[in-house]
Amino acid sequence: MHRRPSTVRWLFASLLALLMSQTPGSAGQAESKIDFARDVRPILSNYCFKCHGNDEETREAGLRLDTAEGAQADLGGYQAIKPREPATSALIERITETDPDLRMPPADSGLVLSAGQIETLRAWIEQGADYQQHWAFRPIVRPAIPVSKPTSAAFEGGARSPLDAFILRRLSEAGLAPSPPADRATLIRRVHLDLLGLPPSPAQVEAFLADESPAAYERMVDRALASPRFGEKWGRHWLDQARYADTNGYTIDSARTMWPYRDWVIDALNRDLPFDRFTIEQLAGDLLPEASQRQLVATGFHRNTLINQEGGTDREQFRNEAVVDRVNTTGAVWMGLTVGCAQCHTHKYDPLTQHEYYQLFAFFNSSQDVNSAAPTVSVASDSQNVRLAEFDRRIAEAKAALAEFDRKRDGQRPAEERSDGKPIAWQVADLESFESAGGATFEKLGDGSLVVGGKNADSDVYAITFASPTARITALRLETLTHPSLPKGGPGRAGNGNFVLNDVAADVGDASAAWVHATADHSQKDYDVRGAIDDDPKTGWAIGGTSRANVSRTAVFITQPLATVEKANVEVRLTYGPSPAGYNIGRLRLSVTDAPHAKFQLPDPERERLAAALKKLQEERAAFAKSIPAAMVMRDLPTPRQTHVLIRGDFLRQGDAVKPDAPAFLPAMPESAAAAEDASTDESIRTRLDLARWLVSGEHPLTARVTVNRVWMRLFGQGLVETENDFGLQGTPPTHPQLLDWLSAEYMRSGWSTKHLLRRIVCSATYRQSSAARPDAQQVDPLNKLLARQSRVRVSAEIVRDLALAASGLLSGEIGGPSVYPPQPDGVYAFTQRRAAWPTSKGADRYRRGMYTFFMRSAPHPMLTTFDSPAFNTTCTRRPRSNTPLQSLTMANDEALFEAAQALASRLVAADDDDPQRIEHAYRLCFARLPSEREAASLLEFLKQQRADLQASPEDAQAISGVADKDPARVVERAAWTVAARVLLNLDEFITRE
């Protein structure tokens, strides 16, 4: 075996102490049956796999120790491991070598195998060097429930549920007993904080304490699980994993509409959507047959990726990064694996090759991510859908009325008034005279048109005469034509080539045209052609407003039939200006026709009324539909992209082509649904839907284990597997492996019901234990991994403020909807590239739950970051918990929390008459219990001191109380109780789940 490169040796040093504590360390232990997964693999993984593991590129001396085949291969005359022959196994020879230059691990790595670890390896080889599959990759098999001893007073005569039997067995082996149950007030607060993220009301506590029936606790749990607040609390956990935010990320970090996805999560959890469906709809809802709006919105899970809107970026690079994020997030959330380690090279520890990583990559590589834009779907509420349906009904009725009118009108017309379907015959007028009131000149061209030159007056009237070519005139056609002599080619004389024709008139002798309608092939917005015949000098016809403004345009002016004799003189007057000035026509041609009005399809007043009503309804529907949010969703391209291995993860360096498939170390993925239905289809072309179904199949060993473990983590502070984001070879083994598998099997057996799983755990005696520290357990199990007691856990960032709002009575009960803007300090956005606004919400929105707070990735709300909320640039499967002075300062001085203290004070003063009653009420609201005598006395003394101080400083009293009251005594009273409320809200117990 070769020495490890010095550049990687330092990686092992930090793991040594932990590993030595996790592996057998005595010959006595080694003599017993060695468990490869528990005893041997951690040693090999942390000391050997870096250079002798899965990655072929970095493997040294051709030696592979992560598989039996590699470890027992003949490598030029030696074998690292010879089963049952430790004395001739090169592995034992090198780890016991006295020469520092030959000993493994190398001396400069900082790693030294203990005598116990060496003996474990020797004994394992002696026993046959059996390579067992990693525990997390084995199929889930429902284990038998241990027979519990009915002697535990703490568990009231024995286990309350099957899971308690597994806990009791481990405690018994360690010589420990479980803790007694927590008191009932603590239990109801614990359940409400864990399941709902809100404290129980005093009335709920009182009712629970008064219920002496054996099923009182279970009924209280069922009520909590049925609350719509459940989806908010557990939805927040899921949104962490979904990396939910309200902005795109990177430096511009502009807003996006993602809250419909957040609301989908809340609703799905409230209706206990089975986790397998919960998974499928999020990963591939768009690929389901006849996907509903709800299922499309669910795919927002993978639309929470960042979008870079910077100028000059390579869009393909950031599209590729979004796909990488989707792969890594899927691996972390559903499989609990660090699949991202294989993006640039084969995984150093887990059996995941780089080729297999890009097989997973291929599932997401064909999503529609074009020019940083994502497909969207309109998200209408039930009431909005009702209104849209009503619009559609009324529009259909209006269309039917219009069609019926046309049918009846056409049927009632005399035959001579009906259109014969032939085109209108126009005759170009042979213009005889033309004059300009403003001094313009005219040149007649061979096509019968006039080009206008000379002075371009602010206002003008063109008077043009010609001999009528017909015995009657029913319409006049005006063609405005382009010409090189005109500005930008015309057809107008204004600088931009436009014109505004304010009026058109035509006379034959003493008879004048009576216009009935006007049409044009184009009219500029607010300059409709009908403005030239409405007798209003302020209106007129213009042709701008498009990218092709300087083109020839035609208008037709229809008149009541104007009787004449052939060759009679017709005078046409075209009037312009003075506002706008100089907007005169530069080239024109006139034509007339005697075609019947039926050919022009003239508007009927009644028809116009019906058409206008239809147009109004259509415009109203369009405006209403525009107000409905559009959620970002996943959709695939019609033709899948070709996926390649990216050399060193570089999107510019493509290697071998790959197709979507599962890693070889996990159960095989069935052929694609398309291939199953069509034998001619390439079975290797699998979709996200195939991936999603594979993840939640009964054969998959990871999804149920990972999900159950995270549920356990939320309820006990840490998972049965401590490394909840790493179920691979470098992760910690489960403290209770059989319990984990029993719960995982139970989860799937129940139809993937998350509420069933939670009820199982929350109703157990293990969960109900007191969290009080115990010296005996502390000595044997300082990290409480054996669960001889419950854990004290500080609530998450959003819940901190929720508790204050609930205790004060300010909390809004509204669920869902657009994100809101509770108070935050000024200047938070001062150092962001996009100086975004923070329009502080008013009314009930000011007091919404924390999960509805608008989340800007580059500048999250300060309270959230103070209490350890991540930025959600990547998935977060577990939030860290810190304990800092800034948290206490925030609880005392944050504007929102100070406002809650004021409201709590007002609530207490209004509800009770004397201090002892108010103190009891305050403790019920804040802690779901009564104060001890010492607590009550201390708070009472504090109140007396505050009253004295505030009476001496009326200005401070007024500022603290926040109420407008002319009675100084009442102001002081509210101020004193506001200060007391700040103390209560700042206690560790207030933000801690006991």
Side-chain angles (χ1 to χ4, degrees):
M1 293 182 288
H2 287 191
R3 297 176 55 146
R4 295 182 177 89
S6 59
T7 55
V8 300
R9 292 171 188 164
W10 65 272
L11 294 172
F12 298 98
S14 61
L15 300 172
L16 179 59
L18 176 62
L19 290 167
M20 292 181 69
S21 69
Q22 290 180 334
T23 55
S26 69
Q29 287 174 302
E31 290 170 359
S32 63
K33 178 64 177 177
I34 301 297
D35 183 280
F36 174 77
R38 182 192 66 218
D39 305 327
V40 177
R41 182 179 277 120
I43 301 174
L44 296 178
S45 178
N46 289 286
Y47 289 81
C48 308
F49 287 176
K50 183 73 173 179
C51 297
H52 303 292
N54 188 33
D55 191 349
E56 186 175 357
E57 289 187 21
T58 58
R59 190 181 303 146
E60 295 193 20
L63 173 61
R64 182 173 184 179
L65 293 176
D66 62 321
T67 65
E69 295 78 11
Q72 297 168 21
D74 186 341
L75 299 176
Y78 75 88
Q79 286 178 254
I81 293 175
K82 290 184 179 181
R84 304 193 184 282
E85 297 183 29
T88 58
S89 295
L91 173 69
I92 300 300
E93 176 187 345
R94 297 299 295 273
I95 63 176
T96 58
E97 173 65 57
T98 58
D99 184 345
D101 291 332
L102 298 176
R103 186 170 58 242
M104 285 286 145
D108 60 357
S109 72
L111 299 175
V112 179
L113 286 167
S114 69
Q117 290 169 325
I118 293 173
E119 189 57 36
T120 294
L121 294 174
R122 188 195 305 275
W124 170 63
I125 296 174
E126 181 69 42
Q127 293 173 8
D130 180 27
Y131 270 80
Q132 299 168 343
Q133 188 179 25
H134 181 55
W135 67 267
F137 305 153
R138 300 173 193 169
I140 297 174
V141 178
R142 187 184 183 92
I145 299 171
V147 178
S148 61
K149 299 178 180 179
T151 57
S152 173
F155 275 18
E156 299 181 12
R160 286 182 176 273
S161 77
L163 72 87
D164 293 320
F166 294 97
I167 300 297
L168 281 174
R169 182 173 65 180
R170 288 297 312 276
L171 289 174
S172 177
E173 290 171 353
L176 292 172
S179 294
D183 64 83
R184 298 188 77 186
T186 297
L187 285 177
I188 187 173
R189 189 171 192 265
R190 177 186 295 173
V191 167
H192 274 244
L193 292 184
D194 278 347
L195 297 186
L196 309 180
L198 293 173
S201 68
Q204 289 172 321
V205 175
E206 185 176 352
F208 176 60
L209 296 181
D211 188 349
E212 297 180 356
S213 67
Y217 179 86
E218 285 76 9
R219 285 203 297 267
M220 180 267 291
V221 169
D222 288 339
R223 287 192 295 271
L225 288 171
S227 167
R229 298 300 191 180
F230 170 81
E232 292 178 317
K233 171 60 164 63
W234 284 81
R236 181 63 265 176
H237 294 318
W238 186 259
L239 293 175
D240 282 13
Q241 297 179 86
R243 64 268 196 242
Y244 170 85
D246 292 297
T247 58
N248 286 328
Y250 296 108
T251 55
I252 290 181
D253 204 17
S254 61
R256 58 167 55 166
T257 301
M258 286 306 303
W259 62 262
Y261 168 74
R262 177 243 290 150
D263 289 1
W264 179 88
V265 171
I266 295 172
D267 175 71
L269 290 169
N270 275 336
R271 55 191 170 95
D272 199 20
L273 182 67
F275 187 77
D276 56 347
R277 293 300 302 175
F278 187 72
T279 294
I280 289 169
E281 292 188 13
Q282 291 185 86
L283 290 181
D286 58 308
L287 301 178
L288 293 172
E290 299 181 1
S292 66
Q293 172 187 291
R294 179 183 280 179
Q295 290 168 333
L296 291 175
V297 171
T299 65
F301 178 88
H302 271 322
R303 277 297 170 198
N304 285 308
T305 48
L306 278 64
I307 297 176
N308 194 338
Q309 298 170 295
E310 296 289 334
T313 58
D314 189 320
R315 288 170 176 167
E316 176 61 16
Q317 174 187 353
F318 289 97
R319 186 198 70 80
N320 181 82
E321 291 192 9
V323 177
V324 166
D325 175 73
R326 289 168 187 149
V327 177
N328 298 350
T329 297
T330 302
V333 171
W334 277 275
M335 295 191 286
L337 296 177
T338 56
V339 298
C341 294
Q343 177 189 352
C344 302
H345 52 73
T346 290
H347 204 291
K348 299 296 183 185
Y349 303 102
D350 296 340
L352 178 68
T353 68
Q354 188 185 23
H355 184 91
E356 290 170 328
Y357 177 89
Y358 284 98
Q359 289 179 338
L360 294 173
F361 186 97
F363 283 106
F364 301 99
N365 195 33
S366 293
S367 61
Q368 292 182 19
D369 294 277
V370 181
N371 297 337
S372 300
T376 61
V377 63
S378 178
V379 182
S381 65
D382 290 342
S383 62
Q384 288 170 327
N385 278 324
V386 168
R387 190 170 177 191
L388 286 172
E390 176 63 15
F391 270 124
D392 291 339
R393 182 189 65 79
R394 293 171 62 192
I395 289 171
E397 290 177 350
K399 287 181 177 178
L402 188 60
E404 178 65 10
F405 177 87
D406 288 341
R407 186 186 67 78
K408 288 183 177 180
R409 183 187 63 176
D410 290 343
Q412 294 169 356
R413 282 178 174 169
E416 64 271 14
E417 292 186 10
R418 299 180 193 175
S419 175
D420 57 8
K422 296 179 181 179
I424 296 172
W426 293 99
Q427 297 191 53
V428 177
D430 183 10
L431 307 183
E432 296 177 351
S433 66
F434 14 85
E435 295 180 356
S436 163
T441 61
F442 298 90
E443 178 186 357
K444 186 176 178 181
L445 302 182
D447 61 357
S449 65
L450 297 177
V451 176
V452 186
K455 184 179 180 182
N456 186 34
D458 290 348
S459 60
D460 206 341
V461 177
Y462 297 170
I464 305 170
T465 63
F466 57 88
S468 175
T470 62
R472 73 170 187 168
I473 296 175
T474 57
L476 172 71
R477 183 176 71 181
L478 168 63
E479 296 174 86
T480 63
L481 308 171
T482 59
H483 194 270
S485 66
L486 301 174
K488 295 190 176 180
R493 302 190 71 193
N496 58 4
N498 202 355
F499 61 84
V500 178
L501 175 61
N502 296 99
D503 188 71
V504 177
D507 297 330
V508 178
D510 295 333
S512 298
W515 307 120
V516 295
H517 192 53
T519 63
D521 58 358
H522 170 71
S523 291
Q524 183 175 330
K525 186 178 183 295
D526 299 326
Y527 289 89
D528 189 85
V529 69
R530 287 173 293 184
I533 61 171
D534 62 1
D535 295 326
D536 184 349
K538 296 180 180 178
T539 62
W541 177 45
I543 61 169
T546 71
S547 59
R548 297 180 66 249
N550 302 109
V551 296
S552 299
R553 295 295 184 185
T554 301
V556 174
F557 303 95
I558 304 164
T559 179
Q560 293 290 357
L562 190 62
T564 181
V565 293
E566 199 166 333
K567 302 299 183 182
N569 283 337
V570 180
E571 182 181 52
V572 175
R573 294 181 303 280
L574 307 177
T575 302
Y576 317 94
S579 178
Y583 273 71
N584 308 312
I585 292 177
R587 183 185 175 195
L588 61 93
R589 181 166 55 204
L590 297 176
S591 303
V592 295
T593 185
D594 61 356
H597 282 177
K599 283 186 173 290
F600 296 100
Q601 297 182 338
L602 291 176
D604 182 281
E606 177 62 14
R607 191 185 192 284
E608 282 199 317
R609 185 189 67 79
L610 292 173
L614 173 60
K615 183 179 180 182
K616 181 180 179 183
L617 282 171
Q618 291 171 327
E619 289 174 346
E620 288 177 352
R621 189 196 188 283
F624 179 71
K626 190 175 181 180
S627 70
I628 297 173
M632 296 165 60
V633 299
M634 293 288 285
R635 282 200 182 95
D636 280 352
L637 298 169
T639 302
R641 292 186 178 94
Q642 176 64 64
T643 300
H644 296 264
V645 173
L646 300 182
I647 300 171
R648 292 296 173 189
D650 185 348
F651 77 104
L652 296 175
R653 301 173 63 197
Q654 293 187 347
D656 296 339
V658 297
K659 293 180 179 179
D661 203 355
F665 71 94
L666 291 172
M669 184 179 294
E671 64 180 8
S672 68
E677 296 172 3
D678 183 357
S680 65
T681 302
D682 184 352
E683 66 176 16
S684 65
I685 304 302
R686 298 180 173 93
T687 68
R688 283 182 283 113
L689 184 56
D690 297 304
L691 173 66
R693 288 171 172 163
W694 173 73
L695 285 169
V696 291
S697 66
E699 293 73 33
H700 202 291
L702 288 167
T703 301
R705 283 185 176 120
V706 168
T707 306
V708 163
N709 187 64
R710 290 199 179 114
V711 169
W712 188 277
M713 176 183 72
R714 313 292 183 198
L715 300 175
F716 291 93
Q718 64 181 11
L720 295 169
V721 178
E722 186 177 4
T723 54
E724 51 76 35
N725 62 343
D726 189 358
F727 272 49
L729 275 62
Q730 287 293 95
T732 58
T735 56
H736 301 75
Q738 288 190 314
L739 172 57
L740 178 61
D741 278 8
W742 187 88
L743 287 170
S744 301
E746 175 72 6
Y747 193 28
M748 292 187 286
R749 186 194 66 81
S750 72
W752 296 89
S753 169
T754 300
K755 287 189 176 181
H756 173 84
L757 174 65
L758 283 165
R759 193 181 191 279
R760 274 285 196 185
I761 299 174
V762 170
C763 287
S764 69
T766 303
Y767 176 83
R768 298 193 215 184
Q769 293 179 101
S770 167
S771 62
R774 291 167 40 193
D776 62 328
Q778 179 71 17
Q779 185 174 5
V780 176
D781 182 25
L783 299 180
N784 194 33
K785 292 185 176 182
L786 300 181
L787 296 169
R789 61 178 177 85
Q790 249 290 6
S791 301
R792 297 179 79 251
V793 180
R794 196 207 73 217
V795 299
S796 58
E798 293 83 356
I799 307 301
V800 170
R801 178 170 158 274
D802 291 353
L803 296 182
L805 292 175
S808 67
L810 291 174
L811 182 65
S812 167
E814 184 178 354
I815 295 177
S819 297
V820 296
Y821 302 83
Q824 74 170 359
D826 293 335
V828 172
Y829 290 158
F831 301 102
T832 59
Q833 177 171 320
R834 180 177 65 89
R835 192 72 177 266
W838 185 265
T840 303
S841 298
K842 302 182 185 301
D845 281 352
R846 186 181 181 93
Y847 309 114
R848 298 285 303 281
R849 292 197 70 169
M851 75 174 305
Y852 300 116
T853 297
F854 186 90
F855 196 96
M856 186 174 183
R857 282 185 163 109
S858 58
H861 193 288
M863 170 169 277
L864 299 180
T865 55
T866 297
F867 286 94
D868 306 315
S869 172
F872 299 123
N873 291 333
T874 57
T875 185
C876 173
T877 54
R878 180 182 184 179
R879 294 189 185 186
R881 284 189 176 91
S882 64
N883 191 354
T884 68
L886 183 58
Q887 293 169 354
S888 182
L889 290 170
T890 298
M891 293 299 296
N893 301 312
D894 180 85
E895 179 181 352
L897 291 171
F898 185 72
E899 189 175 354
Q902 291 174 324
L904 177 56
S906 296
R907 185 178 188 182
L908 297 172
V909 170
D912 299 291
D913 295 330
D914 59 34
D915 286 342
Q917 289 179 321
R918 292 171 181 169
I919 290 173
E920 288 188 358
H921 192 189
Y923 269 74
R924 286 192 179 100
L925 290 170
C926 294
F927 311 117
R929 65 176 178 85
L930 292 174
S932 66
E933 291 184 5
R934 180 181 177 185
E935 288 171 329
S938 296
L939 190 56
L940 188 60
E941 182 62 31
F942 179 77
L943 278 166
K944 291 178 180 178
Q945 182 61 51
Q946 291 303 310
R947 287 191 183 104
D949 292 345
L950 291 166
Q951 285 171 352
S953 180
E955 296 82 4
D956 289 347
Q958 184 63 58
I960 292 172
S961 70
V963 297
D965 197 319
K966 295 182 179 180
D967 186 339
R970 286 199 293 265
V971 171
V972 167
E973 189 67 8
R974 281 181 169 78
W977 271 103
T978 297
V979 177
R982 291 174 74 191
V983 171
L984 295 177
L985 299 184
N986 209 339
L987 291 178
D988 176 70
E989 181 182 354
F990 182 72
I991 58 172
T992 300
R993 191 278 269 154
E994 295 286 346

